[in-house]
Amino acid sequence: MAIISCRVKNNDDSVIQLLNPNRQTIYFRDMRPLKDARFQLVNFSENELRVSLSNVSLSDEGRYVCQLYTDPPQEAYADITVLIPPGNPIIEAKDEVLSEGNETEMTCTAMSSKPAATIRWMKGDKELTGKPRVELTYDKMYTVTSRVAFTVNKEDDGVPIICIVDHPAVKDFRARKFLEVQYKPEVKIVVEFPQGLTREGENLELTCQAKGKPQPQRVNWLKVDDDVPSHAVITGGDLYIENLNKSYNGTYRCVASNPLGESYDDYVLYVYDAPTTTPIPTSANITTTTIISTSASNPEANQDTAPSTEPAAHDSRAGEGAPRTVDHAVIGGVVAVVVFAMLCLLIVLGRYFARHKGTYFTHEAKGADDAADADTAIINAEGGHTNSDEKKEYYI
C-alpha cells in the first residue's frame, strides 16, 4: 500500500486535486472521478488531501501531481518507485558428484526483479568471485545470472556453496548447495604393539586405517621385495606377527584402493636384540669394569634415554628413521678395547723412562794416549785394574 498526501498551507478555499502519472484525475476535492477502487480517500480538509493506493503494481510507478487551482495554478509532485523482489534463487551445478582435483562450475539465477539484483558467492567462509549477466525482460523486469568456477579437493566434501541475493526489497535471500567430492583413500599405519622398540621374541601388531570416498572396501598387506612371514596373521586391516626375529626385518606396506585410485603407507620393521642382564662387578675388577662401562655404555639404556639416536618404532614408517646397520654394542666393545690397550701402553712406557732417567759419565783412563790398544790403556790407568769390575754395567 502507498499513501499519497497533498498538503496546502494558508489555503484560501482553492480546489485541490490529485493526478496520476497519466495526468488522470484521481480525486477532485473529496470526489473520485477515476474508476479504480484501489484508491481510497483517507482524509480531506482545506489543507490536506490524503489518498491510499492498495495492491501496488509496476504500472502504478511514476510521478503523481498535487494541483491547486489558483491564479496562476500551483503544483507539487512526488515519484513512486515500485520495487519487485526476485523469485527464489536457483542454484545449478555442472556436476552433481565431483572428483578431487577437478574444476566445476555453478550458476545462480535471480529472476523477475526490479531493480536488478546483485549476487554474491560463498564457499564455506570464503567468498568467491562470480561473473554476472543481466537481462531486461519484456515486462521491464530484470533477470540476473551469476556463474562461478572453482577447483575442488577432498577438504571441500560437504562444504556448502551459498548464493546470496542482495535486493532493496528483500534481506538475506539465499540458496545453498552442498559439495559432494570423491577422493582416493588416505592410508595410515598405527602401531598397536609394542609401544617402544621391537625386540626379538616379542609380538608385533599393526593396524591399517584407510579413509576415502567411496570408502575402501578392502585393504591389503604386503612386504616390499619379499614375502610376508608365513605365520603372520592378517585380519582385515590388522597385521599380527608372533615371536619376532631379525629375519623379519623389512618394509611392510598397507595398500587401499577405490574407483579413484589407490594409496599406501609403509612401516619399516627393524628387530633389535633381546634385552640382556649385566652382572654386578666384584671388588676385584671394579677398575676394569668402570673403564669399559664409561667408554661403551649399554646401548639399550642409550636408546631409552636418547630417543634422537634411535627412532621410535611407530615413527619408522614411510622411510623415516631407517634402522642402523651397525650394532652399538659392537662399537662400544671395540672402543673399550682400544682405550684399555692405550692405557696399558702408557703404563709400560712410563716405567721404562723412569728406570733409564739419569746422567752417564765416562772415565777416560790416564795414559791411554800412549797405549797401543785398549787393554794396555786399562792396565796402565791410574788406580790399576782392581776397580774395573765395579764400573761395569749390564742392561737386560
Side-chain angles (χ1 to χ4, degrees), residues 232-252:
V233 179
I234 299 176
T235 305
D238 297 334
L239 172 66
Y240 184 76
I241 304 177
E242 292 183 336
N243 195 18
L244 293 173
N245 60 62
K246 293 190 175 182
S247 65
Y248 299 155
N249 288 350
T251 301
Y252 292 80

Side-chain angles (χ1 to χ4, degrees), residues 285-311:
N285 60 359
I286 288 179
T287 304
T288 303
T289 304
T290 302
I291 294 174
I292 294 175
S293 62
T294 303
S295 303
S297 58
N298 187 352
E300 297 168 9
N302 288 343
Q303 293 164 359
D304 294 337
T305 59
S308 61
T309 302
E310 290 293 339

Side-chain angles (χ1 to χ4, degrees), residues 353-396:
F353 286 114
R355 290 175 62 90
H356 293 78
K357 181 173 67 174
T359 305
Y360 295 86
F361 298 95
T362 60
H363 301 280
E364 183 176 77
K366 295 180 179 180
D369 295 337
D370 299 331
D373 52 24
D375 293 336
T376 305
I378 296 174
I379 293 171
N380 296 332
E382 183 180 348
H385 190 63
T386 58
N387 296 329
S388 62
D389 291 337
E390 295 177 0
K391 294 181 180 181
K392 290 182 178 180
E393 292 185 0
Y394 298 90
Y395 176 73
I396 301 177

Side-chain angles (χ1 to χ4, degrees), residues 14 51 150 206 214 255 264:
S14 298
V51 177
F150 54 92
L206 303 177
V255 182
Y264 65 87

Side-chain angles (χ1 to χ4, degrees), residues 265-277:
D265 191 19
D266 288 342
Y267 173 80
V268 179
L269 173 64
Y270 183 79
V271 180
Y272 291 86
D273 293 329
T276 57
T277 304

Side-chain angles (χ1 to χ4, degrees), residues 1-4 38-39 51-56 60 64 80:
M1 177 179 290
I3 301 295
I4 307 169
R38 296 181 304 145
F39 290 97
V51 177
S52 67
L53 171 61
S54 60
N55 195 19
V56 175
D60 298 321
Y64 288 77
I80 290 183

